[in-house]
C-alpha cells in the first residue's frame, strides 16, 4: 500500500508540471482578441492580429517572441507582417521570425500585441483554411514550441508557449491560456 501511495504521488507531481505552460500566441481579427475566424473573400487582403496571452503561470510582460505563422500552401499567402510599435522583427514570418521589443511589453496586462499579418486567399472559390502559429524553423533547442522571453527576469529566460490558430469559415477562440492535458493540446493540431 505504501508503494502504491508513493507511486500515485510521484505520478501526480510529474503530471502537474507537464500541464503548466507560460501562455500562448494567437491569431485574432482585432487587438481585442475576441474573434479568431472569418469568411475569407478570394483575392481580398485580410488583416489578422498576432497576440501573446499570458497564462496564470506566464510572465508579466515579454521582451521578445519567436515563432512562425503557417498558412495552407497553394491556397493562401502572407502578404506582409507589420510589427507592433517599439518592436524590431528579424527573419521571415513564414519560416521563423524573432521579434524584440525596445522595452518590456504587456506588463500588468493579460495580453500583448505582437503585430499584424495581411493574408490573401488565392483560390477562386472560398475554401476552409486554418492558419497556425508554430515553432520557428530556426529553433534548434528545447522547448520546441513558439517561445517568449520573460520581462520579469533579469536573465530574460526563454519559455515555450502554445501556438494558436485562425480558421475559416467557423472557428473557436478557445485558445489554451488555462492549464490542460496533453491530449487537449494535441487535439488543437489535428489536420
Amino acid at each position: 500500500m505504501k508503494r502504491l501511495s508513493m507511486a500515485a504521488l510521484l505520478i501526480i507531481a510529474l503530471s502537474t508540471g507537464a500541464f503548466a505552460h507560460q501562455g500562448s500566441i494567437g491569431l485574432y481579427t482585432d487587438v481585442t482578441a475576441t474573434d479568431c475566424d472569418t469568411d475569407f473573400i478570394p483575392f481580398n487582403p485580410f488583416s489578422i492580429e498576432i497576440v501573446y496571452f499570458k497564462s496564470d503561470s506566464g510572465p508579466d510582460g515579454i521582451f521578445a517572441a519567436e515563432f512562425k505563422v503557417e498558412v495552407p500552401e497553394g491556397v493562401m499567402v502572407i502578404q506582409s507582417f507589420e510589427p507592433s510599435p517599439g518592436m524590431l522583427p528579424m527573419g521571415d514570418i513564414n519560416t521563423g521570425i524573432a521579434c524584440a521589443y525596445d522595452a518590456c511589453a504587456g506588463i500588468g496586462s493579460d495580453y500583448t500585441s505582437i503585430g499584424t499579418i495581411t493574408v490573401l486567399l488565392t483560390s477562386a472559390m472560398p475554401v476552409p483554411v486554418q492558419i497556425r502559429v508554430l515553432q520557428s524553423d530556426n529553433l534548434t533547442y528545447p522547448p520546441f514550441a513558439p517561445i517568449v522571453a520573460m520581462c520579469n527576469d533579469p536573465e530574460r529566460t526563454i519559455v515555450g508557449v502554445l501556438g494558436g490558430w485562425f480558421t475559416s469559415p467557423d472557428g473557436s477562440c478557445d485558445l489554451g491560456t488555462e492549464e490542460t492535458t496533453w491530449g487537449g493540446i494535441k487535439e488543437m493540431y489535428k489536420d
Side-chain angles (χ1 to χ4, degrees):
M1 183 67 172
K2 186 175 183 179
R3 283 186 190 162
L4 183 59
S5 297
M6 292 297 284
L9 285 174
L10 180 61
I11 290 171
I12 290 170
L14 291 175
S15 65
T16 302
F19 296 161
H21 60 83
Q22 304 296 323
S24 58
I25 297 175
L27 302 165
Y28 299 92
T29 56
D30 59 32
V31 293
T32 62
T34 57
D35 188 20
C36 58
D37 65 353
T38 193
D39 290 327
F40 290 108
I41 299 168
F43 309 107
N44 187 24
F46 187 80
S47 295
I48 299 173
E49 299 293 327
I50 303 170
V51 178
Y52 165 74
F53 265 96
K54 76 174 201 143
S55 67
D56 291 341
S57 59
D60 184 19
I62 59 173
F63 183 71
E66 185 173 349
F67 59 94
K68 74 176 181 180
V69 176
E70 180 183 78
V71 297
E73 191 173 327
V75 176
M76 180 173 276
V77 295
I78 298 175
Q79 290 188 306
S80 65
F81 170 69
E82 181 67 33
S84 291
M87 175 185 284
L88 174 65
M90 297 168 283
D92 183 332
I93 194 81
N94 295 291
T95 57
I97 192 163
C99 303
Y101 293 93
D102 57 6
C104 287
I107 294 176
S109 177
D110 287 339
Y111 62 92
T112 304
S113 175
I114 293 175
T116 306
I117 58 172
T118 302
V119 297
L120 182 70
L121 184 64
T122 58
S123 173
M125 295 183 60
V127 293
V129 298
Q130 186 177 68
I131 305 167
R132 302 184 305 173
V133 174
L134 301 170
Q135 84 177 39
S136 167
D137 291 348
N138 306 320
L139 193 61
T140 58
Y141 53 87
F144 295 107
I147 58 174
V148 297
M150 299 170 59
C151 276
N152 53 356
D153 177 2
E155 302 294 318
R156 303 275 194 250
T157 301
I158 293 173
V159 295
V161 298
L162 300 176
W165 60 92
F166 192 94
T167 60
S168 170
D170 295 315
S172 170
C173 290
D174 295 332
L175 185 59
T177 58
E178 301 298 322
E179 294 180 1
T180 186
T181 65
W182 279 113
I185 293 170
K186 286 190 270 182
E187 189 67 28
M188 294 185 323
Y189 292 98
K190 281 191 171 179
D191 286 326

